[in-house]
Each structure stands twice: as structure tokens, then as C-alpha cells.
Amino acid sequence: MIERVKVAVVGVGNNTSALVQGLALYRHSGSLVGIRKPVIDGLGVGDIDVVAAFATSPEKIGRDVTEAIFLPPNNFPRLNCDLPSADVAVTKGLVDATEIDRVAAALAGAEVLLYSAPSGRPETARAYAGAALRAGVAFVNTTSDPVARDPELMARFEAAGLPLLGDDLASQFGTSVLHNALLRLLEERGLTLVSSYQVNLGGTEDFRNLVENPNTKRQSKLNALSPTGNAATGNAAAGNAATGNAAAGTVAVAPLGYLPHLASQKVAHLNLEAQGWGETAVSLDVKLKVHDPSGAAGVNIDLIRIAASALRDGRGGHSAEAASLLKSPSGTAI
């Protein structure tokens, strides 16, 4: 019988709530609804145990992780499943780089550290990566902060034989995934892109944080719209990279909008303007509505298993099989 993967999580927000509840649901129901890969290298969806959790919210510290995930400002709904206590108390998160040793010690027994804190704190993200190195565990960065795109840090993980996956997960069925698919469809069908944009609205704390601290998030979204991962600067770069026929095309990513009443749901609007045969106009407008944390958990479950498998095989650094699950994998623009 395969040994379950022991995971530590940084951040006890909505994404962790969706993951922890989902693990319980799938483990006891055997359902395959909403699962991309039921088994990865022998590891099923239920073969994951959360063994440590870190947070900075005083209200969550000391509480069992199965209780902390329901505390405000978390607003992901309760799933229809029994959720027994995990017997894992939430630990005080890393405040600065001087606490790397404390966090590394708390990772004893873990195989994978899932960094699911808010984006916009690159120093904190790299400090947790340092703790993972010291503890000898794989590191998965779900945020847009550049960790796997740091060549020096990647080299250290490779040398240690530890997987480093990141950066910024591509939601299971999110705006960037859909937008990229539509841009590719235009190219495959021979249409010429004139312009395109996406607008994202959400009500989670992550959305609020990203509105206040956008930092590398916009660039990461542009990376996700480029098949080469080099949508380096402006909107035009993303449009031209995404569609070979778009010599004059532009792809714009509007600033994120925070609307508290949306709770854990994200509403996205996409527009594509193109030209077909005879330079005739083609226009497409799409509205997407999803629970954003579910989209994250649906990808995190695969990233965790990929990281664990690579760790057990002694394969350090980047894992090619994870690239399609990330907006900005190693080597893309910062």
C-alpha cells in the first residue's frame, strides 16, 4: 500500500479550506467529479494528509486546521462532507527571515510545503522556500511571487534533490486558461486577432490583497496568455505571442476588482475582437463564474502529488509535468 503524502500548508485561507474539505469529501465518497487525474504515480486524491499549517491571523493560531478554515474572513462554503478533526494545530507563521529555523523544525515529517499565502510578499515566499530547503521538503509556490523563477534558488533545490514547483497556479478552469484556449482557437482557425481583454472580479481576501498589492500578478497573467511564457512587458507582447496572426493584436488584463458580496466566487468577462475571411469582423464576449478556491484546490491536488513523486524519486528542481498547471513556471518573465 502506497504511503500517503504528508503536506504542510502556509496560509489557512479559502484555498486551504477548499483543499482540506475536498480531501475529506473525495476520501470518503470515492467520487471522481471535478478531478483531472484520479491517480498520479500511484497517488490517489485521498492519499494526502495535512500534517502542519502556518498562519499569521491570531484567531487561527492554535486552532485545529479543520476549525480554522471556517473562521472569517474565509468565505468558501462548507462542502457536503464529514470533516473530522485533523489533530493539526495551526502554527504561527514566519514573520521574517530570522524565523526560518523555527519553521524548518515545524516541518519535521512533512514531504511537501504548499505555499498558499497571499501574493505580493516575495521576501516571505522566499523565506519559506529557504525553510523547506533546510527541512529537506519539496516546495510548491501557488502565488505570483517569483520563487521558481529565481535561478539561484532553483539551483539550490536542484543541488539538494528537492522539487521546486511554481510560480502561480493556473486555476483548474479560470480566466487565463479559458482566455488562452480562445486565443489559440483563433490562431488554429486562421483568424487575425485585433484586440482582447479580460476583467476579473472576486470577493475573497486574496482578491482584496491583490487589488491593494498587484505587484507581479499582472505579469503572471500575461505569461499565462503566451505559449512561450515571454509576454515580457506590455499588452501587445502578450497578444502577439499568443496568436501568430496578430501582428497588430493586443491582449489587455484589467486590474482586479474586489467586490465583497461575491464571497468565494469569481466573475470574469472576456472579449475578443478578430477578423476573418475578407477582413470581416468577428466578436466574442464570454462570462465565466466559478468558485475561485475550488479552482485552486483542483490544481493543488495535482501539484502536491507531482512534487511528492519527484521527491521520492530524488528528482530535484523543476518538474516539466507541472508546467501546464502554472501561469509562470520556471524560465518565464518576472
Side-chain angles (χ1 to χ4, degrees):
M1 184 175 180
I2 196 164
E3 184 180 353
R4 286 186 179 179
V5 180
K6 297 177 176 60
V7 178
V9 295
V10 177
V12 187
N14 283 305
N15 290 356
T16 297
S17 177
L19 178 64
V20 170
Q21 291 190 71
L23 288 173
L25 187 152
Y26 287 113
R27 184 176 293 150
H28 292 99
S29 71
S31 170
L32 296 180
V33 173
I35 295 174
R36 190 180 76 98
K37 287 193 174 183
V39 179
I40 295 178
D41 294 333
L43 294 168
V45 174
D47 295 329
I48 312 290
D49 287 329
V50 175
V51 298
F54 301 89
T56 56
S57 170
E59 292 77 19
K60 294 177 181 178
I61 295 171
R63 304 285 289 271
D64 190 87
V65 67
T66 56
E67 298 174 2
I69 57 175
F70 296 113
L71 296 178
N74 290 11
N75 51 25
F76 183 72
R78 288 180 180 264
L79 300 182
N80 185 26
C81 64
D82 293 329
L83 190 62
S85 172
D87 293 325
V88 175
V90 177
T91 302
K92 180 182 179 182
L94 185 150
V95 176
D96 55 50
T98 64
E99 295 193 309
I100 288 178
D101 285 339
R102 175 179 66 82
V103 171
L107 291 174
E111 293 178 276
V112 178
L113 178 57
L114 179 72
Y115 184 73
S116 190
S119 293
R121 303 169 184 174
E123 296 81 6
T124 302
R126 283 192 284 270
Y128 272 107
L133 263 172
R134 199 159 298 181
V137 306
F139 189 77
V140 177
N141 177 33
T142 73
T143 77
S144 59
D145 298 324
V147 177
R149 285 170 290 169
D150 182 330
E152 186 273 335
L153 197 53
M154 179 62 76
R156 291 173 62 193
F157 272 83
E158 289 174 348
L162 300 173
L164 173 57
L165 309 186
D167 299 317
D168 201 8
L169 59 85
S171 184
Q172 190 174 21
F173 195 76
T175 318
S176 297
V177 169
L178 179 58
H179 200 169
N180 184 280
L182 291 172
L183 290 170
R184 288 177 180 273
L185 182 60
L186 287 183
E187 181 178 13
E188 290 171 6
R189 305 305 294 175
L191 279 75
T192 298
L193 178 68
V194 175
S195 65
S196 183
Y197 66 79
Q198 63 169 262
V199 178
N200 294 276
L201 308 171
T204 65
E205 279 297 288
D206 194 43
F207 258 87
R208 184 187 65 78
N209 172 69
L210 288 169
V211 168
E212 298 173 357
N213 304 289
N215 295 326
T216 57
K217 187 65 175 182
R218 180 178 175 275
Q219 181 60 55
S220 189
K221 278 186 167 291
L222 291 174
N223 288 344
L225 298 178
S226 167
T228 63
N230 291 314
T233 51
N235 296 332
N240 295 339
T243 305
N245 295 332
T250 61
V251 176
V253 177
L256 298 175
Y258 173 59
L259 299 175
H261 72 273
L262 290 178
S264 71
Q265 294 185 102
K266 175 173 71 177
V267 178
H269 298 273
L270 298 172
N271 168 266
L272 290 90
E273 302 293 335
Q275 290 182 322
W277 175 264
E279 300 185 354
T280 55
V282 176
S283 183
L284 175 66
D285 286 285
V286 178
K287 177 183 177 181
L288 173 67
K289 190 173 184 179
V290 295
H291 277 278
D292 208 31
S294 289
V299 173
N300 281 337
I301 189 64
D302 288 359
L303 290 173
I304 290 168
R305 291 182 290 170
I306 290 170
S309 178
L311 179 75
R312 293 175 179 184
D313 289 345
R315 293 180 281 117
H318 172 68
S319 294
E321 58 266 43
S324 64
L325 304 176
L326 301 160
K327 289 191 180 79
S328 296
S330 178
T332 54
I334 297 177

